[in-house]
């Protein structure tokens, strides 16, 4: 059985962030916060223990989800992307951050939970 994860959800589309959060909560995970920008996400990351960040690539502001992944990496926070971006220039940059997964929108909730189950497996 997998353990419950503390998850930060970062997406600038409220309905999508809310859907991801609901999916996680129904599966027994704890959403420690949601954010629509890198600045908001870093504020949450500064005050909460996070096991995983779920990131969209396009966010509000000058920085994107890839910038955020690069900033969370040194803090030891793993991440995955859920994005609708199909920009070929974005993919190598995103993959360089070594995400756990890269899910395309619209995403399959079962696929998301399968990724989390692998991360939450007891050691």
């Amino acid at each position: 059985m997998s353990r419950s994860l503390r998850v930060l959800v970062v997406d600038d589309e409220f309905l999508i962030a809310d859907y991801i959060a609901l999916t996680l909560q129904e599966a027994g995970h704890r959403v420690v916060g949601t954010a629509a920008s890198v600045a908001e996400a870093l504020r949450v990351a500064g005050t909460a223990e996070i096991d995983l960040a779920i990131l969209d690539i396009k966010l509000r502001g000058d920085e994107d989800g890839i910038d955020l992944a690069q900033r969370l990496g040194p803090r030891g926070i793993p991440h995955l992307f859920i994005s609708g971006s199909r920009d070929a220039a974005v993919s190598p940059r995103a993959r360089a951050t070594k995400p756990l997964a890269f899910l395309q929108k619209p995403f399959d909730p079962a696929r998301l939970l399968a990724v989390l189950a692998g991360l939450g497996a007891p050691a």
Side-chain angles (χ1 to χ4, degrees), residues 36-84:
S37 70
V38 171
E40 289 175 26
L42 290 174
R43 276 194 292 277
V44 174
T47 61
E49 289 189 45
I50 299 170
D51 297 314
L52 172 72
I54 297 177
L55 312 175
D56 188 8
I57 290 180
K58 294 184 180 182
L59 300 173
R60 292 185 190 149
D62 295 332
E63 294 182 288
D64 63 16
I66 300 169
D67 296 318
L68 179 57
Q70 292 168 338
R71 293 175 73 176
L72 293 176
R75 298 179 185 202
I77 300 172
H79 66 282
L80 65 85
F81 291 109
I82 297 180
S83 180

Side-chain angles (χ1 to χ4, degrees), residues 11-12 17 21 27 32 37 39 52-53 60 74 114-115 120:
D11 196 305
D12 64 345
V32 297
S37 70
L52 172 72
R60 292 185 190 149
V115 172

